[in-house]
Amino acid sequence: MERGLTMNEKQFQDQKIVLIDGHSILNRAFYGLPDLTNAEGLHTNAVYGFLNILFKILEEEKPEYLTVAFDVHAPTFRHEMYKEYKGTRKPMAEELRQQVPVIKEVLKAMGIRLIEQAGLEADDLIGTLSRRCEEAGMQVVVLSGDRDFLQLATKKVKIRIPKTKQGRTEVEDYLEEDVKEKYQVTPKEFIDVKALMGDTSDNIPGVPSIGEKTATKIIVEYQTIENAYAHVDELKPPRAAKALKEHYDLAQMSKELATINVHADFPYEVEEGKIGELFTAEAYEWFQKLEFKNLLGKFEIQAPASEIEDSFVTVTDPAGMDAVFEKAAGAGTVGVVLERNTENVLPLFAAMSGISGAVLAFSADGKDEIVSIQTGNGISADALMERLSALTESRAQISMFDVKKELPHVRTCRRENFFDVHVAAYLLNPLKSSYEPDDVAREYLDLTIDAKLSEEKKSCYEAYTMYRAADVLREKLKEYGMEALFDEIEMPLVFALFDMEQAGVKVEAEALKEYGQDLGVQIERLEAEIFELAGETFNINSPKQLGVVLFEHLELPHGKKTKTGYSTAADILEKLAPDYPVVSKILEYRQLAKLKSTYADGLVNFISEDHRIHGTFNQTVTATGRISSTEPNLQNIPIRMELGRQIRKVFVPEEGFVFVDADYSQIELRILAHCSDDEALIQAYKEAKDIHRTTASQVFHTPFDEVTDLQRRNAKAVNFGIVYGISSFGLSQDLSITRKEAAEYIDRYFETYPGVKAYLDGEVAFAKEHGYVTTIFGRRRPVPELSSSNFMQRSFGERVAMNSPIQGAAADIMKIAMIRVNQRLREEQMESRIVIQVHDELLVEARIDEVEKVKEILKEEMEHAADLKVPLIADMSVGSNWYEAK
DNA sequence: GAGCTCACG
DNA sequence: ACGTACGTGAGCTCC
């Protein structure tokens, strides 16, 4: 029979081939890795895991040949899981299904031989290939997650089974001997064992009442099912004898099913499996698209890179520097990277340290120029920054990465002239965790900046990236309808945030320390009381130890459990507090411990020499478009509980100043009214009604004036729930009512405001169709979770689709207000300044004689930041500290 | 470094 | 049946 193998030739002698069970490995990878998606929302975890296993095996085995086998599913089976799941007929997860064609394309791009054959399962393809190759004198390695393949193991055929243990991939190896060692039977006998015991997932019935133990025992003694049947009366235990006698036909059929065909007939030339260059340009494109960044390192640096390096120039003399700046001033876009003097500087101070050079990248006379200007030898850092400041006044667009961070080095600048690559990349996909220059280069320019390059070269590549990316990102922003959002909101905001960070906020260190000491005393007292009541000492800060003490030693009734133990979260403990004094003490302890560590002690560490805290307000972090605050977080200073609220007394204005605090009234619900166009909701806001009372009145069919406090409170919770993407479960948790009751509230809410219902449904439908949602200002949030087959994930996606346009629009509006308020304070030469933003609130440190003007500006600019179908309302308050001003 | 808890809007 | 409200950041414990 022609098998396509030239067995009489010795060309394959002692060569090695790796045979991979494609679906099995893909499946292993899929379930072993968290759900990863690329920017387009394509699920990539299985492909990523597959490639990692593949590279690992190739590295270990160093084979000359490689072939990956796939099943061809008949149409009726198309939606079913491969093998392992056929038995239970579960549909293949959608996220996995969409990755099957992807891995095939990726493998093809790497020039890897794929094989699939209608009517033959991958098992049979691999079984036959392993036999043919072995006969040709080759070493064979079979890679699969499926133990069935153990029957193929010989001295020259090694079965490798990857397992994921706590995120790490370990591979179990089986040559013939290893199978014997582990299962006490030869690979051939392994078939009979399996046939006797059966395998539900594989649709192998097996013999009833015979399990793994008995099956192994029988085959160890009799080697085959046929031989065991011949001695059936001697079989022990008698139960097994009886079963085999009655079900011998079943056993034979099972054996047939369990046997992998090693003599299948299909065309295949071993030579086709020869491994060539895996890291082709085509493969590179796929890896880019799938965003497998750490795999890109396997590729040689791309050809364009070396061409770019031809344009690198270094300048160290003043005349050369002037010439470069002059040329750059005439360019359209200039990419700029500042180089810091990091030697002998602690990392913490790196940002403030001196500038050692700058790289400018631009196009002049039709060719790229990437010029590195180094300080020293006649060029001072001051002179360099002076030229840079002047450059910002030219017509050129200055493209930089994280402008807010670089701005302290630029003495003066025309704020209109910047393009922030960091911010643009964030707008295009706010779900990423990093937007570093090399990420941008890779994603948008197909350019790899090798991490191993020298700092100087890296800076050049980065400057080049800034220069090139500006146009590419702008095109993409245009395509997404986000150019106005970028130009009119995000870029101007960079400077508003910069001013706010520079201003900082004054904090009274001494008062804060005293507050912390008071807390310390109280905490010690509580700690002693808790140990007394508990009858033992332990670490109250350890949820684990606390759980053991409360729920095992003291035997308190426990609520839900977490993965690692009993939940000791506040909502659980609060239910126990009335009955157990020790629990109330613990809650109190927790509260005080939090206040001391995070706020009292925590904030003290951030007070600078100028007695102020200069936190960072991040513009590229949140999924919805909000700003976030770090080092320290100034957006979660306590307010809800009186004791914590006291902390706000240490936030004070400068001598001669007061605080003016302005916050939007229910901005998210107003946006909901606007977006949903719901008549009743709009009417309520137009009439300036108490919205929660109005909702309560309508939902509970109660006259407006007769609404009880409880009804109003419930209605308020429903209003909040709507904004979060309502679910009956969530609402029931919040109100401590049953899910059924919560569902009724929601139903009645939607009856009251049918426009809201239609709007929210519409957002979910839009997201399902397009994979993202947008705010009224065009801000986009992808929602990859919506294509998940996991109920929880999908539900989350639905809530995100409902919430993001609202939360995002609120963020947009506040950003506009901040820009305009900041602008006016500057234009009108006032000394008052915004010092903190907390999502719907602005805290302004106002010079006493400017207070009225500040209030006017805040009210005006906040209330008119957007023109909605309902009024926007900002409430003002003045005080001599943040506690008073709220 | 992950998981838990809790501070805010 | 699944097991949640949306968006953050920080401190603590424990592996």
Side-chain angles (χ1 to χ4, degrees):
Chain A
M1 195 192 298
E2 171 59 44
R3 292 249 169 89
L5 200 67
T6 45
M7 298 210 287
N8 51 347
E9 289 178 22
K10 297 269 183 179
Q11 80 172 108
F12 300 120
Q13 193 72 38
D14 294 328
Q15 301 259 298
K16 191 187 274 185
I17 184 165
V18 167
L19 303 171
I20 296 181
D21 180 358
H23 276 121
S24 168
I25 296 302
L26 198 65
N27 190 65
R28 284 284 144 134
F30 178 74
Y31 286 101
L33 286 176
D35 187 24
L36 309 170
T37 48
N38 72 354
E40 297 164 23
L42 190 69
H43 297 273
T44 58
N45 60 333
V47 175
Y48 182 70
F50 188 109
L51 293 173
N52 270 314
I53 297 173
L54 173 67
F55 291 137
K56 182 182 157 92
I57 296 298
L58 291 182
E59 201 165 294
E60 287 173 7
E61 301 289 347
K62 302 197 174 18
E64 287 81 14
Y65 297 88
L66 170 67
T67 291
V68 182
F70 284 96
D71 297 322
V72 183
H73 290 142
T76 47
F77 288 87
R78 199 182 49 210
H79 296 295
E80 293 180 5
M81 282 271 193
Y82 79 104
K83 209 162 165 80
E84 286 175 26
Y85 289 83
K86 264 184 221 158
T88 49
R89 306 237 159 175
K90 271 193 191 165
M92 187 191 261
E94 170 57 28
E95 302 92 308
L96 174 56
R97 203 161 61 84
Q98 58 174 236
Q99 294 183 66
V100 175
V102 177
I103 187 67
K104 289 183 183 172
E105 287 307 313
V106 172
L107 294 174
K108 274 185 209 161
M110 295 197 295
I112 292 171
R113 174 76 160 97
L114 302 189
I115 180 165
E116 46 189 351
Q117 186 80 24
L120 287 175
E121 294 201 356
D123 293 19
D124 303 321
L125 296 171
I126 289 175
T128 302
L129 288 182
S130 86
R131 176 63 61 92
R132 287 188 200 169
C133 293
E134 187 184 9
E135 284 171 356
M138 298 178 80
Q139 290 183 57
V140 179
V141 173
V142 173
L143 185 68
S144 174
D146 189 346
R147 294 194 172 267
D148 286 2
F149 283 103
L150 294 183
Q151 62 183 270
L152 298 176
T154 70
K155 285 189 177 61
K156 297 188 95 175
V157 176
K158 179 166 71 178
I159 313 301
R160 308 201 63 182
I161 301 177
K163 305 198 106 180
T164 35
K165 276 185 185 166
Q166 281 138 14
R168 300 196 90 83
T169 314
E170 285 176 25
V171 186
E172 285 179 8
D173 293 346
Y174 294 93
L175 288 166
E176 189 173 354
E177 285 307 306
D178 305 306
V179 177
K180 270 194 206 156
E181 200 174 298
K182 179 138 187 194
Y183 295 96
Q184 305 164 54
V185 295
T186 66
K188 205 161 180 298
E189 290 164 356
F190 189 76
I191 303 172
D192 296 68
V193 172
K194 199 172 166 189
L196 283 178
M197 62 187 262
D199 183 344
T200 47
S201 70
D202 229 353
N203 270 350
I204 294 171
V207 176
S209 89
I210 294 184
E212 187 181 349
K213 292 267 165 56
T214 316
T216 305
K217 204 171 149 224
I218 292 170
I219 298 303
V220 166
E221 193 163 354
Y222 298 100
Q223 290 80 47
T224 66
I225 288 176
E226 292 76 12
N227 192 33
Y229 188 67
H231 299 84
V232 70
D233 293 327
E234 304 160 23
L235 240 55
K236 274 179 216 165
R239 176 175 49 83
K242 183 164 176 279
L244 184 59
K245 212 185 266 183
E246 280 174 20
H247 299 287
Y248 184 54
D249 54 336
L250 211 51
Q252 284 181 302
M253 186 185 95
S254 295
K255 185 168 176 176
E256 221 167 283
L257 283 169
T259 305
I260 293 174
N261 185 359
V262 294
H263 301 294
D265 191 17
F266 56 91
Y268 177 88
E269 296 284 347
V270 174
E271 196 53 35
E272 294 164 9
K274 183 93 183 171
I275 297 172
E277 177 53 55
L278 296 174
F279 303 104
T280 61
E282 208 185 328
Y284 187 86
E285 268 175 40
W286 268 106
F287 283 34
Q288 288 264 20
K289 182 179 158 72
L290 299 170
E291 296 167 15
F292 297 157
K293 290 171 196 168
N294 51 352
L295 294 182
L296 286 172
K298 295 183 178 294
F299 291 81
E300 295 295 315
I301 291 190
Q302 294 300 286
S306 55
E307 280 173 37
I308 296 165
E309 285 188 26
D310 291 343
S311 320
F312 291 180
V313 179
T314 301
V315 164
T316 53
D317 63 298
M321 172 174 78
D322 288 344
V324 171
F325 273 103
E326 194 174 320
K327 242 197 222 176
T333 298
V334 185
V336 176
V337 165
L338 302 185
E339 294 176 301
R340 284 182 180 75
N341 208 338
T342 49
E343 273 175 47
N344 304 321
V345 176
L346 292 168
L348 193 61
F349 300 107
M352 322 186 232
S353 68
I355 291 298
S356 62
V359 183
L360 268 51
F362 53 91
S363 172
D365 307 325
K367 74 179 211 296
D368 292 344
E369 304 225 11
I370 297 113
V371 190
S372 168
I373 302 162
Q374 296 298 313
T375 59
N377 297 331
I379 299 179
S380 69
D382 269 5
L384 178 56
M385 290 304 106
E386 193 59 52
R387 296 295 190 289
L388 187 64
S389 301
L391 182 64
T392 71
E393 309 282 345
S394 75
R395 277 186 46 223
Q397 167 181 252
I398 312 299
S399 177
M400 290 177 100
F401 185 84
D402 200 348
V403 170
K404 176 157 69 70
K405 205 177 192 169
E406 306 290 11
L407 230 43
H409 299 290
V410 186
R411 212 181 313 271
T412 59
C413 62
R414 237 185 93 204
R415 294 184 161 192
E416 292 81 25
N417 272 8
F418 286 92
F419 183 100
D420 193 325
V421 169
H422 189 210
V423 171
Y426 161 74
L427 274 196
L428 290 174
N429 183 358
L431 298 187
K432 300 204 160 188
S433 51
S434 158
Y435 307 91
E436 292 301 303
D438 56 322
D439 296 317
V440 174
R442 197 155 42 218
E443 181 165 353
Y444 295 101
L445 305 180
D446 278 354
L447 172 70
T448 305
I449 300 178
D450 193 330
K452 300 182 287 288
L453 286 174
S454 66
E455 290 300 316
E456 299 83 69
K457 272 199 179 175
K458 222 184 287 176
S459 296
C460 291
Y461 273 111
E462 285 180 10
Y464 175 75
T465 301
M466 297 309 119
Y467 146 60
R468 283 277 315 279
D471 288 348
V472 176
L473 294 172
R474 182 169 287 283
E475 268 313 301
K476 199 88 183 155
L477 287 167
K478 221 181 263 180
E479 181 191 324
Y480 281 5
M482 296 168 89
E483 210 181 14
L485 175 71
F486 179 76
D487 289 332
E488 287 157 36
I489 298 182
E490 295 296 334
M491 277 316 301
L493 183 71
V494 169
F495 301 94
L497 294 180
F498 173 75
D499 291 338
M500 191 163 77
E501 289 181 8
Q502 292 290 308
V505 58
K506 186 172 177 185
V507 173
E508 289 184 326
E510 287 313 312
L512 193 53
K513 282 177 192 160
E514 264 174 49
Y515 179 83
Q517 280 161 9
D518 287 354
L519 287 173
V521 174
Q522 304 250 42
I523 287 168
E524 276 181 40
R525 175 181 57 79
L526 277 167
E527 195 178 40
E529 287 173 11
I530 290 164
F531 293 160
E532 176 69 28
L533 286 166
E536 60 183 309
T537 60
F538 61 100
N539 188 344
I540 308 169
N541 288 323
S542 163
K544 196 177 159 190
Q545 291 183 38
L546 181 60
V548 171
V549 170
L550 289 181
F551 303 120
E552 288 180 13
H553 299 178
L554 297 177
E555 298 180 319
L556 268 50
H558 63 262
K560 62 186 166 191
K561 282 184 140 192
T562 62
K563 275 172 246 169
T564 48
Y566 307 96
S567 172
T568 65
D571 58 332
I572 305 278
L573 297 191
E574 268 157 23
K575 293 198 172 89
L576 297 169
D579 299 324
Y580 304 96
V582 66
V583 177
S584 351
K585 300 268 183 209
I586 290 166
L587 284 167
E588 203 185 340
Y589 170 93
R590 280 237 181 107
Q591 202 195 345
L592 301 194
K594 175 91 175 180
L595 289 175
K596 180 162 165 59
S597 68
T598 306
Y599 299 104
D601 301 350
L603 285 176
V604 167
N605 293 324
F606 288 101
I607 302 176
S608 307
E609 298 251 308
D610 61 358
H611 308 294
R612 302 176 76 90
I613 289 180
H614 300 269
T616 305
F617 288 89
N618 309 294
Q619 202 180 343
T620 60
V621 170
T622 71
T624 53
R626 275 188 177 180
I627 287 161
S628 92
S629 164
T630 49
E631 295 181 316
N633 183 350
L634 295 171
Q635 291 180 320
N636 71 345
I637 305 301
I639 189 166
R640 293 174 190 165
M641 307 290 282
E642 181 53 34
L643 182 64
R645 193 174 190 152
Q646 294 289 329
I647 292 209
R648 294 185 171 227
K649 288 184 175 167
V650 306
F651 287 80
V652 294
E654 196 67 60
E655 184 76 39
F657 288 71
V658 290
F659 277 154
V660 178
D661 189 283
D663 71 312
Y664 277 116
S665 159
Q666 297 162 348
I667 186 169
E668 291 184 339
L669 280 179
R670 288 171 197 269
I671 289 166
L672 178 66
H674 173 86
C675 292
S676 67
D677 214 2
D678 183 279
E679 263 179 63
L681 201 51
I682 289 178
Q683 194 59 29
Y685 273 119
K686 279 192 172 162
E687 290 171 13
K689 281 187 171 167
D690 173 338
I691 197 67
H692 301 314
R693 184 170 288 271
T694 303
T695 304
S697 159
Q698 309 243 16
V699 166
F700 301 119
H701 306 301
T702 305
F704 186 85
D705 295 326
E706 290 169 30
V707 169
T708 64
D709 285 354
L710 179 68
Q711 284 176 322
R712 186 179 181 279
R713 206 160 48 239
N714 288 348
K716 187 175 175 178
V718 176
N719 277 328
F720 265 97
I722 294 293
V723 171
Y724 290 158
I726 197 89
S727 80
S728 55
F729 185 89
L731 185 63
S732 70
Q733 287 289 299
D734 191 48
L735 290 178
S736 297
I737 56 176
T738 65
R739 270 181 71 170
K740 193 155 169 261
E741 288 170 309
E744 280 170 24
Y745 285 10
I746 295 168
D747 283 348
R748 278 187 271 168
Y749 178 95
F750 283 141
E751 279 168 31
T752 308
Y753 302 117
V756 172
K757 168 94 175 119
Y759 166 69
L760 295 176
D761 288 349
E763 287 300 314
V764 172
F766 181 93
K768 283 195 168 149
E769 188 183 340
H770 298 97
Y772 66 88
V773 286
T774 63
T775 69
I776 45 177
F777 296 91
R779 183 185 305 279
R780 173 187 289 238
R781 166 163 188 184
V783 195
E785 296 87 354
L786 275 178
S787 63
S788 171
S789 62
N790 178 302
F791 174 84
M792 202 195 79
Q793 287 267 308
R794 212 168 48 242
S795 304
F796 173 73
E798 288 169 4
R799 293 195 294 271
V800 161
M802 294 188 258
N803 171 266
S804 294
I806 299 171
Q807 190 183 122
D812 296 338
I813 290 173
M814 178 52 110
K815 285 176 169 178
I816 295 169
M818 286 177 76
I819 293 161
R820 294 191 186 163
V821 168
N822 190 53
Q823 187 80 11
R824 284 194 55 187
L825 293 176
R826 284 168 64 94
E827 274 172 8
E828 299 177 29
Q829 315 268 311
M830 297 166 70
E831 279 187 47
S832 305
R833 57 235 169 157
I834 306 172
V835 291
I836 289 175
Q837 185 255 38
V838 195
H839 311 307
D840 65 353
E841 167 192 358
L842 287 180
L843 184 66
V844 173
E845 188 178 25
R847 208 172 75 181
I848 287 176
D849 60 337
E850 294 174 357
V851 169
E852 286 314 310
K853 184 79 188 167
V854 165
K855 284 166 78 174
E856 194 185 302
I857 291 174
L858 280 168
K859 190 138 188 92
E860 168 80 15
E861 300 303 344
M862 286 175 75
E863 295 189 347
H864 296 103
D867 186 20
L868 304 186
K869 292 168 191 152
V870 297
L872 277 174
I873 301 295
D875 299 319
M876 311 283 146
S877 159
V878 180
S880 59
N881 57 54
W882 201 5
Y883 180 94
E884 280 181 15
K886 265 299 270 184

